[in-house]
Amino acid sequence: HPNEIRVYALDRVQDMRPTTESFEYPKNFSAKLFFAPYYGVFGNQEPTKVIIEATPQSAQFLRLLPLHESQKEVKHFHGNTFFEYYIAPTLDFIQELRTHGTDIRVREPETLVQIFREEAQKAYERLLKEDISKYKIKDIKSSGYVVDTLEAAIWVLLKSESYKEAIIGAIN
């Protein structure tokens, strides 16, 4: 499509050459409106309503540092706060939600709820069904993800013979 809007990651461009092709900038085009429903790098996800439930502590954090400009506080229930977004559920947005661990829960849309449900089941599967004490250190993930941290801590405890050894292992 000769006049469709295309987005390029300039940091990934390796070569550029002038051509005779031209592009007509659409009248009334607004980059701000075009990118508004996205968080970070985007793909072909369609914007949709996303609802998350946050614990009181996480809700306070989200009020101070909203995840997205579309964020609206829509409901309070049993001390938790529900936030609504109109956003495309990009990988960057999903990863941002993951950083909040169990302090937030995705409530809508069902496709996003399912992604988190399957991910949680898969993440805890190793801990619940396998003997992680038999793993080598290279098999233990060390990331900022809560389940990886839990697994690493349990692994260190299982592999240590003393409190001191466990603390040193956890630090390393």
Side-chain angles (χ1 to χ4, degrees):
H1 306 300
N3 284 328
E4 79 177 338
I5 301 296
R6 296 182 188 177
V7 178
Y8 296 96
L10 294 178
D11 61 330
R12 295 185 180 153
V13 173
Q14 294 180 356
D15 187 31
M16 219 183 274
R17 292 183 208 113
T19 69
T20 57
E21 293 181 46
S22 64
F23 173 78
E24 186 143 338
Y25 197 74
K27 291 179 182 171
N28 302 324
F29 176 76
S30 164
K32 183 176 178 161
L33 291 176
F34 182 78
F35 289 108
Y38 296 98
Y39 181 98
V41 177
F42 68 94
N44 59 356
Q45 301 88 343
E46 288 295 317
T48 188
K49 179 171 80 170
V50 173
I51 296 184
I52 65 167
E53 177 182 359
T55 63
Q57 183 178 357
S58 210
Q60 185 62 28
F61 178 81
L62 292 172
R63 285 183 196 107
L64 293 172
L65 291 170
L67 293 179
H68 188 258
E69 64 182 26
S70 68
Q71 178 175 301
K72 287 190 261 181
E73 204 166 314
V74 293
K75 178 171 121 177
H76 299 274
F77 186 71
H78 291 294
N80 289 345
T81 303
F82 289 71
F83 292 93
E84 179 182 303
Y85 303 86
Y86 181 72
I87 192 167
T90 62
L91 179 58
D92 285 351
F93 182 66
I94 291 169
Q95 288 176 326
E96 177 61 32
L97 294 177
R98 285 182 187 133
T99 66
H100 295 269
T102 57
D103 287 340
I104 65 160
R105 280 186 119 168
V106 176
R107 294 302 189 181
E108 286 183 36
E110 185 57 35
T111 53
L112 196 54
V113 170
Q114 193 61 30
I115 287 171
F116 278 85
R117 184 178 296 129
E118 289 170 4
E119 188 177 272
Q121 289 169 344
K122 185 179 176 186
Y124 286 104
E125 195 169 281
R126 257 174 62 136
L127 279 170
L128 298 174
K129 294 184 178 179
E130 298 177 25
D131 182 359
I132 65 168
S133 69
K134 294 180 179 176
Y135 290 158
K136 296 187 182 334
I137 195 165
K138 68 178 178 63
D139 300 321
I140 302 300
K141 297 176 188 168
S142 181
S143 71
Y145 188 43
V146 175
V147 178
D148 291 346
T149 304
L150 176 63
E151 181 179 284
I154 292 171
W155 182 84
V156 165
L157 287 172
L158 293 171
K159 300 297 271 185
S160 303
E161 294 189 23
S162 70
Y163 177 75
K164 181 180 178 181
E165 188 180 336
I167 295 298
I168 291 170
I171 292 170
N172 293 330

